[in-house]
Amino acid sequence: MSDRNALRAKLLATPNYRRAEVDLDGDTVFIREPSVGESRDLAAKCKMKGGEIDQLEYALRAVLVLTCDAEGKRLFDDADYDALAALPVAGGLVGKLTGAFAELVGGSSDEGNG
């Protein structure tokens, strides 16, 4: 393999996504950082008229798509959207997960728990 191909393969290898651990009344779940494609798709689903992003919608959809178990398997299905949307904004499940997500994507670029 040429140096270019080896370097390309290394750079495009399966990424190690950072994730935040969240304790939910004794149960541990994780929320992982989105890929570039996932972030783009989330933003596209959350645009309001005028092109601005609906931040609550983005946070809710991020929780729906990025919450996972210890093995990285997604916990919520798309069908759980309405049930998550019916939960309180602050203090509960959605608030804890969106808080962890905000810290994760707004924090340092150091590698985390992966």
Side-chain angles (χ1 to χ4, degrees):
M1 198 179 315
S2 74
D3 288 338
R4 176 196 176 272
N5 288 338
L7 178 59
R8 183 177 173 275
K10 179 181 174 184
L11 294 174
L12 297 177
T14 303
N16 186 18
Y17 292 98
R18 293 177 305 140
R19 61 186 187 173
E21 185 174 318
V22 181
D23 177 46
L24 299 173
D25 298 322
D27 292 315
T28 301
V29 300
F30 300 86
I31 189 156
R32 69 169 173 79
E33 70 180 315
S35 68
V36 172
E38 287 170 326
S39 188
R40 183 192 64 230
D41 291 345
L42 286 168
K45 290 179 180 178
C46 302
K47 284 194 179 173
M48 299 184 298
K49 290 181 180 175
E52 290 187 40
I53 302 293
D54 179 334
Q55 296 300 316
L56 281 175
E57 182 70 12
Y58 189 94
L60 179 62
R61 289 193 179 274
V63 165
L64 182 73
V65 173
L66 302 171
T67 302
C68 58
D69 64 14
E71 288 78 40
K73 293 180 181 150
R74 186 174 162 183
L75 288 182
F76 300 115
D77 296 321
D78 290 343
D80 295 321
Y81 176 88
D82 289 335
L84 287 171
L87 296 174
V89 172
L93 168 74
V94 174
K96 288 180 181 179
L97 290 169
T98 56
F101 176 71
E103 286 183 30
L104 183 64
V105 298
S108 100
S109 61
D110 295 341
E111 287 197 26
N113 299 336

